[in-house]
């Protein structure tokens, strides 16, 4: 099932080129703040899935093209992100470490945006803002200390994610925390619809130019390992998002660009890039150009 948020916090199931509105069916309240309806739906999904499937044919529908899709989980408990989790990306960044010996970092929930929201570039002269194409894992169960072999029990689904970053040597979280630096979408594809998340092609284009092309089989720390590592440290909650790391081919984006990400069986979205006028800080006073080593 493909679960989306749209038109001001409504919940929907994507069926072909349409979206069926399940807001009333699942007791969603688009006016509620903070908007936890998707988190609750994920928590309760095993119980309500049958009701949704039974009612689907009779629910009001709109063409997808006529709705505004929004980030699927706007208030997760946390966004976990694994750095340098593809060897070729490690080589292009000349990083000596990998996710397997480095662990994870967190991105702020306020960085989340949706498939219809532009990425707002901060006004940081002398710096590059890079795209990172990533598969997102959406956690389905409250859990702690999940063994590798039990990873499927707690994974709810998958989505496309862009981990945007100001390149530099400063604190990683600081450089990855700007508003709109974590587009997620276009919806959550539930895990049962993905044959093997460790064999998914993922591609990213900027203005039609293919920049990143990889397969999740090349993840250094695999999905069972990411779930085990994160849950060894923290309790995971329904709706938590794991950014699984980017492959090689990262690079700068500028005002007017359009980033398109496609992940097999999961979805695709295209996001505009707009130069904003906020966000300069003394931390970025020194110019920096990353020495990316092109991978063939
Ligand atoms: Mn990343």
């Amino acid at each position: 099932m493909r679960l989306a948020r749209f038109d001001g916090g409504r919940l929907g199931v994507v069926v072909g080129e349409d979206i069926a509105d399940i807001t009333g069916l699942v007791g969603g309240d688009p006016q509620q703040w903070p908007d936890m309806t998707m988190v609750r739906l994920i928590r309760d999904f095993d119980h309500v899935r049958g009701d949704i499937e039974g009612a689907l044919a009779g629910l009001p529908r709109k063409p997808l093209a006529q709705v505004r899709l929004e980030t699927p989980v706007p208030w997760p408990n946390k966004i976990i992100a694994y750095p340098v989790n593809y060897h070729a990306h490690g080589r292009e960044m000349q990083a000596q470490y990998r996710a397997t010996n480095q662990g994870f970092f967190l991105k702020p929930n306020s960085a989340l945006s949706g498939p219809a929201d532009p990425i707002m570039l901060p006004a940081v002269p002398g710096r590059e803002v890079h795209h990172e194409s990533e598969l997102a894992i959406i956690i389905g169960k409250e859990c702690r200390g999940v063994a590798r072999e039990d990873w499927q029990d707690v994974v709810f689904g998958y989505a496309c994610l862009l981990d945007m970053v100001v390149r530099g040597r400063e604190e990683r979280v600081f450089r990855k925390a700007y508003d709109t630096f974590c587009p997620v979408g276009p919806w959550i594809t539930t895990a049962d619809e993905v044959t093997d998340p460790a064999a998914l092609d993922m591609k990213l284009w900027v203005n039609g130019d293919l920049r990143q092309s990889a397969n999740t089989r090349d993840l250094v720390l695999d999905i069972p390992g990411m779930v085990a590592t994160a849950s060894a440290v923290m309790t995971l909650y329904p709706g938590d998002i794991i950014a699984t790391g980017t492959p090689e081919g990262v690079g700068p984006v500028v005002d007017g660009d359009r980033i398109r990400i496609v992940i097999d069986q999961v979805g695709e979205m295209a996001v505009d890039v707009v130069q904003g006028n906020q966000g300069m800080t003394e931390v970025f006073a020194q110019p920096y150009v990353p020495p990316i080593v092109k991978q063939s």
Side-chain angles (χ1 to χ4, degrees), residues 151-167:
W151 70 276
Q152 283 179 302
D153 296 346
V154 303
V155 170
F156 179 75
Y158 303 93
C160 302
L161 183 148
L162 297 171
D163 178 16
M164 304 302 296
V165 55
V166 178
R167 288 294 175 209

Side-chain angles (χ1 to χ4, degrees), residues 31-202:
Q31 304 304 314
Q32 112 175 167
W33 189 92
D35 182 350
M36 303 297 285
T37 56
M38 183 65 90
V39 168
R40 289 205 182 86
L41 175 58
I42 292 170
R43 182 196 62 179
D44 299 338
F45 195 68
D46 288 346
H47 305 292
V48 300
R49 179 172 195 146
D51 293 344
I52 295 171
E53 287 169 345
L56 207 51
L59 290 172
R61 292 191 185 195
K62 281 184 177 177
L64 264 178
Q66 288 176 23
V67 304
R68 187 176 194 281
L69 291 173
E70 293 159 348
T71 201
V73 188
W75 289 87
N77 185 260
K78 54 192 160 298
I79 304 168
I80 301 153
Y82 283 92
V84 193
N85 207 12
Y86 288 82
H87 286 298
H89 175 58
R91 289 192 291 273
E92 75 177 350
M93 301 303 288
Q94 302 166 70
Q96 301 307 307
Y97 61 88
R98 297 293 183 265
T100 37
N101 59 18
Q102 181 82 3
F104 54 79
F105 63 97
L106 300 175
K107 277 174 82 89
N109 298 343
S110 49
L112 285 166
S113 57
D117 304 320
I119 293 167
M120 297 299 294
L121 299 179
V124 286
R127 295 302 179 110
E128 293 182 355
V129 175
H130 281 203
H131 56 79
E132 294 189 350
S133 165
E134 308 199 10
L135 172 72
I137 299 169
I138 314 297
I139 295 295
K141 299 273 192 301
E142 181 173 334
C143 57
R144 179 85 204 272
V146 179
R148 276 186 60 88
E149 57 268 29
D150 295 332
W151 70 276
Q152 283 179 302
D153 296 346
V154 303
V155 170
F156 179 75
Y158 303 93
C160 302
L161 183 148
L162 297 171
D163 178 16
M164 304 302 296
V165 55
V166 178
R167 288 294 175 209
R169 294 193 185 90
E170 300 83 2
E171 188 66 54
R172 175 186 274 122
V173 168
F174 182 86
R175 295 182 288 103
K176 289 178 174 254
Y178 282 97
D179 286 358
T180 74
F181 267 27
C182 196
V184 175
W187 43 68
I188 301 168
T189 299
T190 53
D192 58 292
E193 297 208 359
V194 175
T195 317
D196 181 3
L200 296 175
D201 279 329
M202 172 169 70

Side-chain angles (χ1 to χ4, degrees), residues 197-210:
L200 296 175
D201 279 329
M202 172 169 70
K203 291 186 167 65
L204 179 143
W205 293 260
V206 177
N207 306 329
D209 180 20
L210 183 65

